[in-house]
Amino acid sequence: MSVLVLQIIIKQWDKSQRTAEHVKLRANIPDKYPLISPPAVYAFDQHCVIDQHGDDIQGDRVKYLKGTEGQIKFDRFQINEDNTLEYYGTQSQQTPLRIGSLNNQWIQCKYNCRYSIFESELFYWLYEEVTLNAICVNKLNENLFTQTEPAITYEDFIELDKRKKSSA
């Protein structure tokens, strides 16, 4: 029986944490980890392992749903019954981008975004970089993501701060 493994790493920061020092600190955070339980947990009747790392300022950042046709949907991703990974990108993107098959090869996807948060009677920007490592295997191994490089890497990075500071 094959097992789908989803490892999600979330880096979150606010406007005050955009200095060069903060950027360097975030760059030193790994983009793959060994599978260790906890934090890794089984889901969907033991057919999936979910391993989430990093920040989750608001709690329950990523929600996982299993559709009636067997697909798994979470965040900006969908995994079809044939273990094909699709990326939906921004919310305005209607057609998903087919990234590739997860059968016995791992795929790494990264994207960033920002969104407004209302907390303590104030709005602020929350910036985020998400990394997904995913594979479907017959036998679990703690080092699925740490001993090899991904077969496919996909990145969708956007400019998060549209306002440029003038050098006046």
Side-chain angles (χ1 to χ4, degrees):
M1 177 177 90
S2 62
V3 176
L4 176 65
V5 182
L6 305 174
Q7 184 176 77
I8 294 92
I9 299 125
I10 302 172
K11 301 175 191 178
Q12 294 177 330
W13 63 98
D14 63 34
K15 193 173 184 175
S16 69
Q17 299 167 317
R18 296 184 306 158
T19 67
E21 182 180 330
H22 287 104
V23 170
K24 185 177 178 182
L25 287 171
R26 282 191 298 277
N28 287 328
I29 297 172
D31 65 357
K32 55 188 173 181
Y33 290 89
L35 289 177
I36 299 171
S37 180
V41 295
Y42 277 97
F44 304 120
D45 298 324
Q46 307 282 327
H47 292 109
C48 181
V49 172
I50 298 173
D51 185 30
Q52 186 170 323
H53 297 267
D55 303 318
D56 192 358
I57 291 170
Q58 296 176 277
D60 275 346
R61 163 60 184 83
V62 180
K63 294 176 180 33
Y64 304 86
L65 302 167
K66 188 164 188 176
T68 56
E69 296 176 19
Q71 74 275 22
I72 295 174
K73 295 181 179 186
F74 60 100
D75 204 38
R76 295 184 178 185
F77 301 97
Q78 177 172 294
I79 299 170
N80 296 322
E81 207 169 73
D82 65 353
N83 297 321
T84 300
L85 177 65
E86 296 180 337
Y87 176 68
Y88 280 84
T90 62
Q91 293 175 351
S92 62
Q93 187 174 338
Q94 298 297 318
T95 307
L97 175 65
R98 183 183 186 278
I99 303 295
S101 172
L102 296 171
N103 290 323
N104 297 309
Q105 65 176 5
W106 73 279
I107 295 176
Q108 184 176 72
C109 296
K110 294 182 180 189
Y111 74 88
N112 65 357
C113 64
R114 72 175 183 175
Y115 44 93
S116 65
I117 301 294
F118 184 73
E119 186 177 87
S120 302
E121 303 293 319
L122 296 171
F123 281 100
Y124 68 94
W125 285 114
L126 183 63
Y127 299 85
E128 186 172 81
E129 180 183 311
V130 176
T131 300
L132 167 68
N133 300 322
I135 190 170
C136 189
V137 292
N138 291 324
K139 184 178 179 189
L140 280 179
N141 174 340
E142 178 179 299
N143 301 309
L144 280 172
F145 302 119
T146 58
Q147 289 185 332
T148 62
E149 292 302 311
I152 299 171
T153 302
Y154 177 77
E155 295 181 349
D156 184 17
F157 288 112
I158 58 170
E159 178 67 38
L160 291 176
D161 189 4
K162 298 293 184 193
R163 294 178 300 175
K164 300 292 181 188
K165 296 179 182 176
S166 63
S167 55

